[in-house]
Amino acid sequence: MKRLISLVLSLAMILSLSACGSGSSSSSSAGSSAAGSSAASEGSSVYRKLYGSEATTLNYLYSSKTVDMEAAAQGVDTLVEYDKYGNVQPALATEWTTSEDGLTWTFKLRDDAVWVRNDGTEYGPVTAQNFVDALHWVVTPENQSTTSEIVCSVIKNAAEFYAGTVTDINEIGVRAVDDTTLEYTLNAPCPYFLSMLTYVCFMPVQGDFLKEMGDRFATTADTMLYCGAYRLADFQPQVSHTYVKNDKYWDADNVFIEEIQETFNKEALTLAPTMYQRGETDYAVIPADLLPTWMNDPELSQVVGPQRNGYFTYFYAFNFYPRFDEEYEPDNWTLAVNNENFRKSIFYGLDRVKAKAIEEPYDPESQLNNTLTPPNFVSNSEGVDYTQLEPLKAYTNDPTHGFDTTKALEYKEKAVEELTAAGATFPVKILMSYNPSTANWDKQCQIVEQQLEETLGKDYIDIILVAGPATNFLSQVRQAGDYALMLCNWGPDYADPETYTDPFGVGSTYNWPEMATDPSYFTDQVYAEGTPGLDPQYVGQPITVYNQMLDTAKAEKLDIDARYELFAEAEAYFIEHAFVIPFAVRNDGYCVNMVSPFDRPFAPFGVSTLKYKGAKLLEKSMSLEEFQAAETAWETAKEASQS
């Protein structure tokens, strides 16, 4: 007990060094220091930030994009939530039970949760039927929800309804027993089901309001309702967003920031550091080219520190379905990308350490990830980390992080011989697209271009960097196949390795490995009509070995150890054949931030890390040393909270 008290006191002292207090106001005043002292009016609690990429929709039942989920993360509560140490807590549900066979989950809802309009006026209570209406919307094919596959994977008859083999929507495994009792019936036992409930597809919606709004639902701030910590008081696309504390929120006492003001500026990354110094914003990523200046300045170095590593994983994806302009030679790229030796020459030729050093010049290897699923995500029944299972552990423990110039040149030699015989021309043009609104992405691309061309030779590859649009980048670039090789990311939706396979399943819009041409990648089985999420063009086409491995792993519902081993084998297969190049876990580099990073909800999955509930404003952004000390104390306190 004394040790725990000491840890708590240590954490409190560390946070007091950052002077957790009044926060900032929306106006600046004369006398703001160069170190970004927030020009706060006493007692105010407003957090201001710039953003450079706009949401494409507010409809949380439709979209799976992070930028689109931020409004729902603030404004719509979930059945359960996670505290700052990653422990599951009651939220809209106060308690829950499961049946002995693991198929039925029953949730008792709180009776003090209400919906409000964006002006703060009360609309009505949150009821069990709200969850039923939401799930029904998600699995209705006409709505084209991008998260329907998640629901279909676990809820009884959801996939069948989506496919049309079940026509009565009430046969889907969700029902409101009464106003405060919600029941889900699963298609098979799912021990990680609870962790799925913090994702958008399991959020509630007020059915009457949804019907009233029709196609206008969640297109503006006043066409959606709120039952979470904040309400979106104002939403002006490519101008500003304003979130205001929801005073009618059931847990309002744990919402400390009164208002969040987000201002659009397509030059946000460039302007934010200077605006922070002037006291005009409370958050700024410090770009790689500015970081040495800040870290070497006696005053600025006291407010700049690293951002937390996350569970979003980053990987370089080879596009097997190129749809870019003829000037980048898509036909020649198709020949090259379908040659495994060519892909492996890039795989082993990429110096991940050098690429990551753009964002983390002090300890880049701490953020590198040799697998698609990051370490410390899930463990088997014996406590063995998933990434340490055979045959995945060989990649996890590779100290070179895949960089091997000897192997790269050996694969290059083989690729040149095979591709020349196939009619390919050299150098192979490699279109590498990036979002200019993402911090340091352009600089990282420049490093990758220079390093790979130097390692493999400009006679072999010609990497061409192209900046895509800051807004709608995903739809116009990645989903449109407008790239050859690109850095992509994926965040988990629930606590199971299956979640990290979603970008590569048939019907996804990442790199389309099912469009590969090597017959050894395919089985003698074909895709059946009516497969959930399947693009009609794939019906009757051969099923890939990788997807067959995934289907086998997904089918193992009871033996978690066996399930994890099957997923590890599938992931290792995908990496071994260089369909992607694992790279790193998410970290947005160094920043100045007036919000404490250790008070917000913490969980690898769902929308937890997007929430500002629990967040507190500081009088001074944390320095590198203060951040490291606070992180150490947080990790120790987290361990104590879970013992």
Side-chain angles (χ1 to χ4, degrees):
M1 179 61 73
K2 288 181 180 179
R3 180 170 177 267
L4 180 56
I5 292 173
S6 176
L7 291 171
V8 172
L9 289 175
S10 296
L11 181 58
M13 290 176 65
I14 289 164
L15 294 179
S16 70
L17 289 174
S18 298
C20 189
S22 61
S24 66
S25 69
S26 58
S27 61
S28 61
S29 64
S32 294
S33 74
S37 174
S38 175
S41 58
E42 187 174 354
S44 67
S45 182
V46 178
Y47 181 60
R48 304 156 302 162
K49 63 183 295 188
L50 302 182
Y51 71 99
S53 184
E54 186 60 84
T56 57
T57 179
L58 299 176
N59 188 350
Y60 53 93
L61 299 180
Y62 167 78
S63 182
S64 58
K65 298 176 183 177
T66 301
V67 69
D68 296 339
M69 293 190 289
E70 290 180 355
Q74 312 312 330
V76 184
D77 233 9
T78 48
L79 286 168
V80 298
E81 63 184 12
Y82 289 85
D83 66 14
K84 63 182 179 180
Y85 299 122
N87 303 310
V88 68
Q89 302 290 322
L92 289 177
T94 58
E95 57 183 280
W96 50 89
T97 58
T98 58
S99 59
E100 288 188 9
D101 60 7
L103 295 178
T104 303
W105 291 66
T106 304
F107 296 84
K108 188 67 177 178
L109 306 189
R110 61 178 60 256
D111 57 12
D112 57 347
V114 298
W115 293 101
V116 299
R117 298 181 183 273
N118 81 308
D119 62 3
T121 58
E122 187 172 330
Y123 184 91
V126 176
T127 68
Q129 186 61 38
N130 299 159
F131 291 89
V132 177
D133 292 337
L135 190 139
H136 282 178
W137 194 97
V138 169
V139 299
T140 298
E142 292 76 13
N143 294 328
Q144 299 182 333
S145 171
T146 58
T147 60
S148 60
E149 187 175 355
I150 294 174
V151 174
C152 290
S153 70
V154 291
I155 300 298
K156 180 180 179 181
N157 286 332
E160 289 77 4
F161 180 82
Y162 194 95
T165 55
V166 168
T167 57
D168 184 355
I169 200 168
N170 294 312
E171 291 186 25
I172 296 174
V174 59
R175 72 184 184 103
V177 178
D178 54 46
D179 282 349
T180 59
T181 308
L182 174 68
E183 182 182 277
Y184 288 108
T185 302
L186 310 187
N187 52 32
C190 181
Y192 56 87
F193 180 62
L194 202 63
S195 70
M196 303 179 80
L197 300 180
T198 60
Y199 197 51
V200 286
C201 54
F202 286 99
M203 284 181 171
V205 71
Q206 216 292 334
D208 293 335
F209 185 84
L210 178 66
K211 184 176 181 180
E212 177 188 348
M213 292 295 104
D215 291 341
R216 295 189 300 122
F217 174 71
T219 55
T220 58
D222 61 352
T223 56
M224 62 183 291
L225 298 177
Y226 309 87
C227 63
Y230 293 91
R231 51 187 172 83
L232 186 56
D234 184 58
F235 177 77
Q236 300 181 58
Q238 297 194 0
V239 178
S240 64
H241 312 151
T242 302
Y243 295 95
V244 176
K245 179 179 177 178
N246 179 8
D247 292 332
K248 296 182 174 62
Y249 181 49
W250 63 270
D251 198 21
D253 288 345
N254 287 313
V255 181
F256 305 107
I257 299 176
E258 297 285 339
E259 187 172 315
I260 302 165
Q261 299 174 354
E262 300 178 343
T263 303
F264 178 81
N265 193 307
K266 63 180 180 180
E267 303 296 333
L269 292 174
T270 302
L271 297 177
T274 301
M275 291 180 65
Y276 179 86
Q277 290 179 267
R278 295 199 302 256
E280 296 172 357
T281 187
D282 300 318
Y283 170 80
V285 173
I286 307 303
D289 53 353
L290 283 181
L291 186 58
T293 299
W294 281 64
M295 295 300 287
N296 293 326
D297 184 284
E299 188 175 7
L300 295 176
S301 64
Q302 296 308 302
V303 295
V304 62
Q307 305 199 63
R308 300 184 76 178
N309 285 352
Y311 284 85
F312 269 78
T313 59
Y314 284 73
F315 48 89
Y316 281 89
F318 292 100
N319 182 8
F320 290 85
Y321 189 26
R323 283 157 287 167
F324 42 76
D325 291 344
E326 286 297 324
E327 65 177 300
Y328 304 118
E329 302 177 359
D331 291 340
N332 198 55
W333 169 255
T334 297
L335 288 174
V337 77
N338 279 287
N339 183 282
E340 186 170 313
N341 287 320
F342 176 82
R343 298 197 307 274
K344 285 186 173 181
S345 71
I346 305 294
F347 185 104
Y348 289 104
L350 177 62
D351 187 341
R352 282 80 154 173
V353 175
K354 184 174 291 187
K356 192 61 185 176
I358 288 295
E359 297 174 313
E360 173 49 274
Y362 302 101
D363 187 15
E365 291 191 78
S366 67
Q367 295 174 14
L368 294 185
N369 191 44
N370 298 343
T371 53
L372 295 169
T373 305
N376 303 315
F377 178 62
V378 291
S379 300
N380 68 9
S381 63
E382 297 180 355
V384 178
D385 188 84
Y386 166 78
T387 63
Q388 292 296 331
L389 298 176
E390 298 288 359
L392 203 55
K393 66 181 296 184
Y395 295 101
T396 303
N397 300 333
D398 179 8
T400 70
H401 305 290
F403 181 48
D404 187 324
T405 55
T406 300
K407 282 187 176 181
L409 293 174
E410 289 175 352
Y411 285 118
K412 171 190 172 181
E413 184 178 351
K414 295 177 183 178
V416 168
E417 180 180 351
E418 294 169 353
L419 287 173
T420 299
T425 59
F426 295 95
V428 175
K429 290 184 178 180
I430 302 178
L431 173 61
M432 185 178 290
S433 305
Y434 65 91
N435 189 332
S437 72
T438 301
N440 301 315
W441 196 350
D442 57 341
K443 301 175 184 65
Q444 188 177 92
C445 284
Q446 292 167 12
I447 291 296
V448 169
E449 176 191 19
Q450 295 166 6
Q451 183 266 311
L452 274 176
E453 289 183 349
E454 181 179 345
T455 299
L456 296 172
K458 292 184 179 181
D459 60 330
Y460 180 61
I461 56 173
D462 176 17
I463 297 178
I464 304 169
L465 307 184
V466 175
T471 299
N472 296 323
F473 178 84
L474 292 181
S475 60
Q476 293 186 28
V477 179
R478 196 205 75 207
Q479 294 174 355
D482 192 13
Y483 76 93
L485 177 68
M486 189 171 73
L487 184 66
C488 299
N489 66 58
W490 181 260
D493 302 321
Y494 46 88
D496 188 82
E498 180 180 345
T499 189
Y500 282 101
T501 70
D502 289 345
F504 315 113
V506 174
S508 183
T509 56
Y510 271 75
N511 68 328
W512 300 276
E514 69 275 11
M515 299 292 284
T517 58
D518 189 331
S520 68
Y521 299 149
F522 294 87
T523 68
D524 56 3
Q525 301 179 33
V526 298
Y527 293 106
E529 186 174 1
T531 302
L534 184 70
D535 189 309
Q537 69 174 313
Y538 298 122
V539 173
Q541 296 298 312
I543 297 175
T544 66
V545 172
Y546 172 69
N547 277 282
Q548 187 179 64
M549 295 174 78
L550 292 187
D551 290 342
T552 302
K554 292 175 183 179
E556 179 53 72
K557 302 289 188 181
L558 298 177
D559 188 336
I560 293 299
D561 290 352
R563 178 182 174 88
Y564 286 6
E565 289 170 1
L566 290 168
F567 274 115
E569 291 171 2
E571 185 168 335
Y573 172 90
F574 206 66
I575 297 171
E576 169 63 25
H577 292 284
F579 288 104
V580 296
I581 305 174
F583 178 53
V585 291
R586 178 171 183 169
N587 186 289
D588 295 326
Y590 282 68
C591 73
V592 286
N593 193 359
M594 299 300 293
V595 163
S596 166
F598 299 104
D599 295 321
R600 299 172 68 171
F602 174 80
F605 31 77
V607 299
S608 300
T609 55
L610 298 176
K611 291 177 177 289
Y612 281 95
K613 177 181 177 179
K616 297 176 181 178
L617 290 168
L618 311 171
E619 289 184 3
K620 184 185 79 66
S621 176
M622 288 185 182
S623 68
L624 172 59
E625 293 75 17
E626 289 168 344
F627 178 93
Q628 291 173 335
E631 184 174 48
T632 298
W634 176 86
E635 289 173 347
T636 307
K638 175 179 181 289
E639 183 178 350
S641 75
Q642 297 175 342
S643 61

